[in-house]
Amino acid sequence: MFGNITRANKKSSEWRLAERQLQIKSKDSNSWFIDMKKICIKYDLENPLSLLYNELSKGKWKKMTITAVHKYWTTRINEEIMYYSSMKYIPKSSFKVGKIQPLALSNSANQRDINRIPIRIKIATGTYILQTNRAVYNQNIVDPTCKLCDQAEETLSHFLLCCKALDQIRTPILKNIICKCSELPALQYTNIQLDILQLIINPFHYACSDESEIDISCKIEPLCRQLIHNLHNKRYEMLAKMDLISSRRKMNFKVN
Ligand SMILES: [Zn+2]
């Protein structure tokens, strides 16, 4: 929008308003043009007033802004990713400017597959809340033990691979994933030892070429999504039932 204003006639009210506001408004002002100024500082673009006086063609403007935004985010992601331990399953090298992360893509227009993406992303980026996260981040004392089986701490590997309460959901899909992996040339002839937890959380870790990325996205990732989605649904169903039982108990206790 600011690009359009810079290209407008210098006698037009928009252009004159932009010039005036950029000249007189302080940085604490709520003016839209001051917000624009802050965006220019953030992305290391020229001062908006000089952009206003030295108008660029639409093409040059677009190229300049897109380059600046891409440069900012590439630098920020590369510099900060090491401080986010939850991102350990997504390698820095998998961020490519202008390319969608394959974990967030659906290779079919299948609505069911698309609906599974948000939970799958939470699992891959370590933002899915399990009992162990609650125990670490909650101010009150929270027991990190898995509420479903009551046998171990509810970590990501416990939830995805070990929890006995979810075995029925997990076993058939996991078998299918392992079977599909043995059929994929990219995974079959590699010397890398497959880590099943890594495979479920981010199978693209094992993509060594564009071809193998396509193979993984067609054959492995939909199954990983299905597994995560079904485990998540079952977990929530069980937790909701437990909450219901405990609230009924509390009610009975009050009545008695
Ligand atoms: Zn468990």
Side-chain angles (χ1 to χ4, degrees), residues 146-154 158-159 162-166:
C146 172
K147 285 184 173 180
L148 309 184
C149 67
D150 207 21
Q151 297 198 339
E153 287 195 358
E154 195 188 29
H158 176 82
F159 169 57
C162 307
C163 184
K164 290 264 180 290
L166 301 170

Side-chain angles (χ1 to χ4, degrees), residues 33-46:
F33 292 97
I34 296 306
D35 275 346
M36 238 290 303
K37 205 170 181 173
K38 288 175 188 164
I39 292 173
C40 287
I41 294 170
K42 176 175 174 177
Y43 292 110
D44 201 18
L45 288 161
E46 262 183 71

Side-chain angles (χ1 to χ4, degrees), residues 71-82 84 87 92 95 97:
K71 189 178 158 206
Y72 173 85
W73 285 108
T74 309
T75 315
R76 220 179 130 182
I77 288 169
N78 286 333
E79 281 176 3
E80 292 183 16
I81 195 167
M82 66 181 96
Y84 290 85
M87 295 291 279
K92 198 164 90 172
F95 288 104
V97 164

Side-chain angles (χ1 to χ4, degrees), residues 13-26:
S13 47
E14 297 96 320
W15 198 96
R16 281 179 20 230
L17 181 71
E19 184 187 38
R20 194 177 143 72
Q21 297 246 321
L22 287 168
Q23 278 172 346
I24 62 160
K25 291 282 180 187
S26 74

Side-chain angles (χ1 to χ4, degrees), residues 109-125:
N110 184 336
Q111 193 56 43
R112 219 168 46 175
D113 189 51
I114 294 167
N115 290 344
R116 288 170 179 167
I117 295 176
I119 295 293
R120 121 64 79 237
I121 295 291
K122 280 191 174 184
I123 291 283
T125 53

